[in-house]
Amino acid sequence: MPELPEVETVMRGLTPAMAGARILRVEQRRADLRFALPHRMPERLAGRCIERLSRRAKYILIHLDQDEVLVAHLGMTGRFTVSTPVSDAMAADGALTRAAGGDPAHDHIVIHLSNQHTVTYNDARRFGYIDLLRADQMPTHKLFRDLGVEPMSDDLTPAYLAQRAASRRVDLKAFLMDQHVIAGLGNIYVSEALFRARLKPTRMAHSIADQRGCPRPQAVALITAVREVLSDAIAAGGSSLRDYVQASGEMGYFQKAHAVYDRAKEPCLREACGGTVRRIVQGTRSTFYCPRCQR
Ligand SMILES: [Zn+2]
């Protein structure tokens, strides 16, 4: 499942092809993904200008003229592929396979742009979600109104995190996964951030705050770690994006080496630690950590 860095990478990959372009025509090949697609979507999108793209949590926001926003969530298997007349010609020559963009039977939406780019949304399992909203409805929309702060923004401060953690009787892993506290942080990067901050995933969330609800040093370390793991992954996504887009048009799915995630029974990568990564289950999800250096 794509996490925040993958979604950010997809958004950045789509931006050069989409921002500033006009939508000429939209092919919609089925009525629904996870939910029904917006009513009369192809008619409503045709002729519209795309002003810019952004991201909120794991939603890609395609800002249109007339203050509307096309919202896309990739679900489990959603992917966007950008193709240009040049890459199509290369594909026809057999220089490229379509494998990178997925089985064309799952190409559900194709957006033809005025700059000759074509953006295709492919989703084998159809857990993805696309909606067309008015920009002024977004702050109160059910998808967005309860979301916590963006982890890369200035809104995530030690004081904020400590204040939210102070009264919580949950473990630190569950606290960080809570989308009402920090938006878009998922299972992989929570494990990675806790490792970097040297904090044990099972310790209580309120232990990062003191009795007055002010941040202890662990809150500061945690924010630094969250930002580092996300920005490293986004940087890795950016470099894989450069490799992939030129080769195949695919974006957003990349292998990143993790320090603890999916490394059960392997040696801890922290220098001179000598510990062994352990896998436990919290809630219903796997957590990976080093019992020796995470306290
Ligand atoms: Zn260790």
Side-chain angles (χ1 to χ4, degrees):
M1 181 185 286
E3 289 211 29
L4 187 153
E6 286 82 2
V7 177
E8 177 74 20
T9 300
V10 171
M11 185 276 288
R12 291 184 187 184
L14 289 172
T15 295
M18 298 188 89
R22 186 179 291 277
I23 299 172
L24 296 180
R25 178 167 70 85
V26 174
E27 297 172 54
Q28 179 184 329
R29 296 174 181 170
R30 54 179 301 123
D32 61 344
L33 297 169
R34 184 170 194 165
F35 307 112
L37 285 164
H39 181 61
R40 295 179 57 242
M41 182 175 72
E43 292 90 332
R44 288 164 70 191
L45 291 179
R48 306 294 297 281
C49 275
I50 300 170
E51 293 180 342
R52 65 191 174 88
L53 283 77
S54 67
R55 178 191 57 72
R56 175 74 169 118
K58 296 205 281 183
Y59 296 94
I60 294 168
L61 307 181
I62 302 169
H63 301 265
L64 305 173
D65 58 1
Q66 300 172 34
D67 285 328
E68 282 197 307
V69 183
L70 189 64
V71 176
H73 190 287
L74 301 172
M76 304 279 287
T77 53
R79 56 177 81 204
F80 282 102
T81 306
V82 175
S83 61
T84 61
V86 173
S87 66
D88 285 346
M90 287 169 71
D93 289 343
L96 295 171
T97 68
R98 256 210 70 92
D103 182 339
H106 303 302
D107 287 351
H108 303 308
I109 298 166
V110 183
I111 302 173
H112 299 272
L113 298 171
S114 56
N115 56 16
Q116 302 201 311
H117 286 98
T118 302
V119 175
T120 301
Y121 181 74
N122 180 291
D123 192 347
R125 296 184 62 182
R126 301 200 304 271
F127 282 107
Y129 167 89
I130 288 180
D131 206 350
L132 187 55
L133 304 177
R134 290 196 50 84
D136 60 8
Q137 290 173 332
M138 288 188 58
T140 53
H141 190 276
K142 64 180 188 296
L143 290 178
F144 300 101
R145 66 187 172 209
D146 297 322
L147 285 177
V149 299
E150 281 292 321
M152 305 300 280
S153 79
D154 293 340
D155 297 334
L156 178 58
T157 61
Y160 168 82
L161 203 61
Q163 181 254 319
R164 295 299 300 264
S167 57
R168 297 293 299 273
R169 299 280 172 240
V170 296
D171 59 55
L172 206 43
K173 165 92 182 287
F175 176 69
L176 292 174
M177 297 280 288
D178 182 348
Q179 301 299 301
H180 303 118
V181 178
I182 302 178
L185 215 50
N187 205 39
I188 296 174
Y189 295 102
V190 166
S191 276
E192 293 294 303
L194 288 167
F195 173 75
R196 276 208 206 198
R198 296 182 172 237
L199 295 173
K200 196 172 176 179
T202 53
R203 71 188 272 154
M204 295 303 281
H206 62 72
S207 68
I208 67 169
D210 67 17
Q211 260 133 13
R212 295 167 300 149
C214 294
R216 292 186 194 274
Q218 290 89 343
V220 179
L222 197 48
I223 290 174
T224 303
V226 163
R227 293 207 173 117
E228 283 178 3
V229 296
L230 293 177
S231 55
D232 283 1
I234 291 167
S239 56
S240 86
L241 192 63
R242 281 189 291 280
D243 298 341
Y244 274 109
V245 164
Q246 290 167 10
S248 68
E250 188 196 13
M251 294 180 300
Y253 290 82
F254 43 91
Q255 292 297 314
K256 168 86 174 65
H258 301 301
V260 282
Y261 187 82
D262 212 15
R263 291 191 65 248
K265 299 181 180 168
E266 292 182 43
C268 174
L269 294 181
R270 183 164 279 125
E271 197 173 351
C273 170
T276 302
V277 176
R278 180 181 292 173
R279 173 184 175 274
I280 57 171
V281 175
Q282 289 178 285
T284 57
R285 309 288 301 277
S286 294
T287 301
F288 298 87
Y289 75 106
C290 173
R292 184 169 289 186
C293 63
Q294 291 179 248
R295 297 291 169 173

